[in-house]
Amino acid sequence: LSAIPYGVFSCVIFFIGRIIAPKVLTILTTHIPRLNIYLHASELAIYKQKTIGSMYMLIQFAIIAIYVYLDVNGKELSEKKDQIEWNFTKWTQCILFGIIAMDGVIPATYRIARIFSFTQFILLPNAIEKKEKNKHNKICIWGIVIGMYLIYFAQNVLRGAEEVLPYHSIFNK
């Protein structure tokens, strides 16, 4: 996919996951009794909660925007393996965006999202280095990416997400 269809497709996937998937799930519950039990059992309510924050969704949308920018303004990749890697990078981001859109429909969405999130730490810098030809633009993109992740990290640490900070040792009792 080229840049604009990729961006539109990503937004359509997000729309489908956010708006249509919950409605389809509700319709399916009338035909599949076990699914109806899953949706309405109070014991399972913890698994159906929304686990993806709006800041994380905003970062993922910004990454898609960066990929669209790189596709439109970036240099053409000459090697076949680089083109395959670039397509893989865009598709994994699109899949991640679709998964986080279905937060609350898919149980424990953040666990599935992490599988794709970790690939960003390799694929995003690699895409910036290979696709951006202008040094000043590359520095700006790097600043945006680092800034996004610093804000996200600070937000998570400050609100105690993942409940790892402050760490309490078992020996402190």
Side-chain angles (χ1 to χ4, degrees), residues 5 11 15 18 22 31 33 42 44 47 49 60 82 86 90 95 100 112 117 137 149 153 159 161 164 167 172-173:
C11 291
F15 173 77
R18 204 61 162 171
H31 301 295
S42 60
L44 300 175
Y47 297 109
Q49 295 176 356
Q60 299 312 316
D82 289 340
W86 175 239
K90 292 190 305 184
I95 291 168
I100 64 172
I112 300 168
S117 295
N137 289 351
Y149 278 110
F153 177 74
R159 72 174 179 193
V164 295
Y167 177 74
N172 288 345
K173 290 188 176 189

Side-chain angles (χ1 to χ4, degrees), residues 11-165:
C11 291
V12 167
I13 290 292
F14 186 80
F15 173 77
I16 288 171
R18 204 61 162 171
I19 310 286
I20 297 173
K23 293 180 182 184
V24 169
L25 188 63
T26 305
I27 292 169
L28 286 176
T29 59
T30 60
H31 301 295
I32 305 170
R34 192 174 261 327
L35 188 59
N36 192 23
I37 292 170
Y38 160 75
L39 283 178
H40 297 90
S42 60
E43 298 85 15
L44 300 175
I46 193 168
Y47 297 109
K48 297 181 299 184
Q49 295 176 356
K50 294 197 179 270
T51 56
I52 305 286
S54 56
M55 181 66 161
Y56 185 76
M57 286 187 194
L58 186 62
I59 287 173
Q60 299 312 316
F61 182 75
I63 291 173
I64 287 177
I66 289 170
Y67 287 163
V68 169
Y69 169 80
L70 289 173
D71 220 3
V72 170
N73 299 319
K75 59 184 171 188
E76 289 296 318
L77 299 171
S78 56
E79 292 187 34
K80 184 73 172 167
K81 76 172 183 79
D82 289 340
Q83 292 171 352
I84 291 170
E85 182 182 306
W86 175 239
N87 287 331
F88 178 77
T89 300
K90 292 190 305 184
W91 280 111
T92 55
Q93 184 63 28
C94 190
I95 291 168
L96 173 62
F97 204 53
I99 288 170
I100 64 172
M102 290 190 273
D103 188 29
V105 176
I106 299 174
T109 311
Y110 72 96
R111 291 180 179 181
I112 300 168
R114 284 205 179 133
I115 294 169
F116 294 96
S117 295
F118 289 129
T119 61
Q120 288 176 343
F121 293 113
I122 296 170
L123 297 176
L124 182 59
N126 206 15
I128 294 169
E129 288 300 315
K130 287 184 178 179
K131 289 289 282 180
E132 183 53 54
K133 52 192 169 211
N134 186 329
K135 185 177 179 181
H136 297 292
N137 289 351
K138 192 181 289 190
I139 291 170
C140 287
I141 294 171
W142 274 114
I144 291 168
V145 169
I146 291 170
M148 284 187 319
Y149 278 110
L150 284 175
I151 291 169
Y152 181 67
F153 177 74
Q155 181 189 26
N156 270 352
V157 169
L158 291 177
R159 72 174 179 193
E162 308 300 331
E163 299 176 358
V164 295
L165 293 172

